[in-house]
Amino acid sequence: MKTITMPGVGGGISQVALGIMRMGNLAQPKCDQALQTALASGINFFDAADIYGRDPELGRGSSEVHFGQALRHVGVEREQIWLQSKGGIFADEFDHLTRYEASQQHLIAAVEGSLRRLHVDYLDFFLIHRLDPLVEPTQVAAAFDVLQTSGKVRHFGVSNCNPRQIELLQAAVDQPLLVDQLQFGLGHTQMIDDGLNVNTELAATTDGLLEYLQTKQLTLQTWSPFQYGTFAGTFIDTPAFGPLNEVLARLAAKYQVTKNAIALAWILRLPMKVQVLIGTMTPAHITASAAGSEVTLTRQEWYDLYLAAGHRLP
């Protein structure tokens, strides 16, 4: 497993991270097994959120409860892993989103709730899950100061934010924002499309986000790397993505890995700080996907995959 280094944090952070969103309603032994498999595959970074999972008995945030139990069952020392959670999204009992909030009171409460559910003393990273249009940056700054001074959070970032939103927050907070977690992969290439189609009839939609992250040395964390649309499904072995799967299969045979590993390697080929979040809880899929960290695609192979996904070059 290759690793990345973040400014002010250090190195040894696995390029592939495990997202625990799907742990919420799994039987505990399966959660334990997913954690064990991830560790055996070289994954040492785990991504959570206070809204992940809703169990009739455990309530909202059950994914964090199950992961905290897995840490104890597997016998993982807290210092051996990097643990990240997110907060700021509210949903009702039917999982309909109702609001976003980044007030001082809520951000502090969100972290404290995650720590309780995870049974840990601190988070390595805390991200604002989606930025509230009603956000008051001074409130975020006050929350971050309290969380850092108390030792409850060591580093901070954002999720699903554009450059102007990041600048809005960074102008107010003293702590550097180190991460932007965004959907990205062969089925979700808007950030690449925009850069390639400058001065064409295709309008840009991401405000130079990919270039901004690279310039500022923020780490791009990619969620749903094998999905098309938002939650429409995976493009792996889906008939609608026949040409893409043909190229994935050809390269998988060449590098002796799976299609998932090649799709993951396509993301990691970007010349910037990138970390791919995989969300599967199936041990075989965790191992297979993590192997993509060891594959370095050629430039032409990278473009072959992009074109096979249905895109064109201007």
Side-chain angles (χ1 to χ4, degrees), residues 156-216:
F156 298 88
V158 294
S159 181
N160 305 302
C161 281
N162 66 33
R164 297 182 188 279
Q165 291 171 321
I166 295 171
E167 291 288 350
L168 175 69
L169 292 179
Q170 191 63 84
V173 304
D174 292 329
Q175 300 79 6
L177 300 174
L178 300 177
V179 170
D180 193 4
Q181 187 177 122
L182 300 154
Q183 186 175 18
F184 182 76
L186 278 163
H188 201 275
T189 61
Q190 285 91 330
M191 290 189 289
I192 296 293
D193 304 342
D194 285 354
L196 287 173
N197 287 285
V198 171
N199 199 34
T200 72
E201 72 279 8
L202 299 178
T205 59
T206 63
D207 200 18
L209 181 51
L210 193 66
E211 294 80 7
Y212 175 85
L213 298 178
Q214 188 171 4
T215 299
K216 297 295 185 179

Side-chain angles (χ1 to χ4, degrees), residues 48-230:
D50 61 354
I51 200 171
Y52 288 167
R54 183 172 59 84
D55 182 270
E57 295 183 3
L58 300 175
R60 180 73 65 186
S62 57
S63 291
E64 291 186 327
V65 175
H66 283 219
F67 186 76
Q69 292 173 347
L71 288 177
R72 296 194 298 279
H73 294 169
V74 176
V76 180
E77 295 292 335
R78 177 64 184 88
E79 293 74 20
Q80 291 179 321
I81 64 169
W82 303 85
L83 188 52
Q84 170 177 285
S85 193
K86 305 182 291 292
I89 297 179
F90 284 79
D92 62 21
E93 65 271 25
F94 304 106
D95 291 333
H96 299 140
L97 300 183
T98 58
R99 76 175 189 275
Y100 305 136
E101 183 174 338
S103 67
Q104 177 182 356
Q105 180 181 9
H106 175 64
L107 293 178
I108 292 173
V111 169
E112 291 175 343
S114 290
L115 294 178
R116 284 194 303 271
R117 289 186 292 272
L118 291 162
H119 284 279
V120 296
D121 296 326
Y122 68 94
L123 297 173
D124 294 289
F125 292 85
F126 176 69
L127 313 185
I128 297 178
H129 208 161
R130 279 193 183 272
L131 195 61
D132 176 13
L134 304 179
V135 66
E136 298 176 48
T138 54
Q139 292 258 318
V140 177
F144 283 10
D145 285 344
V146 169
L147 293 169
Q148 185 178 62
T149 301
S150 65
K152 294 176 180 177
V153 178
R154 295 186 174 179
H155 308 286
F156 298 88
V158 294
S159 181
N160 305 302
C161 281
N162 66 33
R164 297 182 188 279
Q165 291 171 321
I166 295 171
E167 291 288 350
L168 175 69
L169 292 179
Q170 191 63 84
V173 304
D174 292 329
Q175 300 79 6
L177 300 174
L178 300 177
V179 170
D180 193 4
Q181 187 177 122
L182 300 154
Q183 186 175 18
F184 182 76
L186 278 163
H188 201 275
T189 61
Q190 285 91 330
M191 290 189 289
I192 296 293
D193 304 342
D194 285 354
L196 287 173
N197 287 285
V198 171
N199 199 34
T200 72
E201 72 279 8
L202 299 178
T205 59
T206 63
D207 200 18
L209 181 51
L210 193 66
E211 294 80 7
Y212 175 85
L213 298 178
Q214 188 171 4
T215 299
K216 297 295 185 179
Q217 297 190 55
L218 272 72
T219 295
L220 166 63
Q221 287 183 347
T222 70
W223 57 271
S224 291
F226 310 130
Q227 298 280 321
Y228 64 94
T230 301

Side-chain angles (χ1 to χ4, degrees), residues 20 45 93 134 185 191 247 250 256 267 283 306:
I20 67 166
F45 195 106
E93 65 271 25
L134 304 179
M191 290 189 289
V247 180
R250 171 170 59 82
Q256 298 184 327
I267 298 171
Y306 179 75

